[in-house]
Amino acid sequence: MAKKPAPLKAHVTSLEMTAPPKTSLAVPVNIQTAIIRAPEIPLHYYRYLYRQVGKRWHWYKRLRMSDEELATTLHNPRTSVTVLYVNGAPAGFFELFKESDDIVELSYFGLFERAIGLGIGKWFLLQALYAAWQDNPQKVTVTTNTLDHPRALQLYQMMGFSPVSTYEALVPPMTDAELLKALDG
C-alpha cells in the first residue's frame, strides 16, 4: 500500500486592494490572446485548467471536490471563471467570487507552464483586476502562499495589493489514487 505523502508547510499571506489599479499595460506583442468568460464552464474543462495551472503550486482543493460540490461552487452567480487563450490554446484562467457588494475575491489566478515567461503574467493579472473592479466594490482580496509561484506575492503587491495578515498552514498533498480519481472525472 502506498504511503500517504506528508503535508506541506506553507506561509500564507492575505492581501487586499482598496482602489482600482492605476496601471495600464499594452497587450503583449507577437502572440494572439483572447480572454473569454465561461459562465457555465464544464466541470471537466475547469478541472483541466485548474490542474494545468496549479500542479506546480500544489493546488488541490478543487480537485478534491465532488462534481456536485464543484458545480455548486462554479455555477454560483457570484462566481465567474475567465479563460486566457494564447495562440488559440488555453494558457491560464482566473476565478472571481463576489463575497458581497463590497468585496470581491480573486480566488484563483495563474498561467499554464507553457505560458510562463511569455511576458503576459502582469497583463493578464491586470485584466483580472479590471474584471474584479467592474462592479465598484470597496476592496478586492487575494491569498497567496509560499507554495505558489516564487514571485506571486511580489506581483500582487506591485499591482496594488497590501498584505493584511499572515499565518502558517499545512497543505495535504493528493495521493496518487486521489489524483487519478480527480483526473478521471
Side-chain angles (χ1 to χ4, degrees):
M1 187 157 161
K3 184 178 173 189
K4 189 169 182 153
L8 303 168
K9 291 181 183 177
H11 184 78
V12 181
T13 302
S14 298
L15 302 104
E16 66 181 36
M17 182 179 208
T18 56
K22 298 188 183 349
T23 311
S24 70
L25 296 170
V27 176
V29 294
N30 299 325
I31 56 174
Q32 294 179 344
T33 59
I35 298 174
I36 301 174
R37 189 166 177 260
E40 291 294 321
I41 191 164
L43 300 183
H44 70 278
Y45 186 51
Y46 178 86
R47 283 186 175 114
Y48 166 75
L49 296 171
Y50 187 90
R51 180 72 181 132
Q52 289 302 308
V53 171
K55 64 184 172 186
R56 293 178 70 193
W57 319 120
H58 305 282
W59 291 7
Y60 304 118
K61 184 177 181 181
R62 296 292 169 84
L63 295 178
R64 286 189 165 112
M65 290 179 156
S66 68
D67 284 354
E68 184 178 302
E69 290 172 308
L70 188 58
T72 299
T73 299
L74 295 180
H75 300 151
N76 179 330
R78 297 183 304 155
T79 300
S80 69
V81 177
T82 302
V83 183
L84 169 68
Y85 294 86
V86 172
N87 297 330
F93 81 99
F94 66 82
E95 182 180 328
L96 300 173
F97 178 68
K98 188 174 182 177
E99 292 182 30
S100 68
D101 287 342
D102 293 336
I103 302 170
V104 174
E105 176 190 39
L106 177 58
S107 305
Y108 291 97
F109 169 82
L111 298 172
F112 283 26
E113 191 169 347
R114 70 174 184 83
I116 295 172
L118 295 178
I120 59 174
K122 288 179 199 167
W123 173 81
F124 186 46
L125 179 56
L126 188 59
Q127 305 316 301
L129 294 175
Y130 288 155
W133 284 98
Q134 182 175 315
D135 293 332
N136 298 312
Q138 295 297 307
K139 67 181 171 182
V140 174
T141 64
V142 69
T143 301
T144 189
N145 67 64
T146 50
L147 299 176
D148 281 341
H149 189 285
R151 292 189 307 271
L153 180 58
Q154 177 185 352
L155 178 60
Y156 289 133
Q157 289 178 298
M158 181 190 329
M159 297 304 269
F161 283 94
S162 297
V164 292
S165 67
T166 62
Y167 59 93
E168 299 300 319
L170 292 176
V171 177
M174 292 188 85
T175 63
D176 289 342
E178 284 178 308
L179 188 55
L180 286 173
K181 182 180 178 201
L183 297 178
D184 191 38

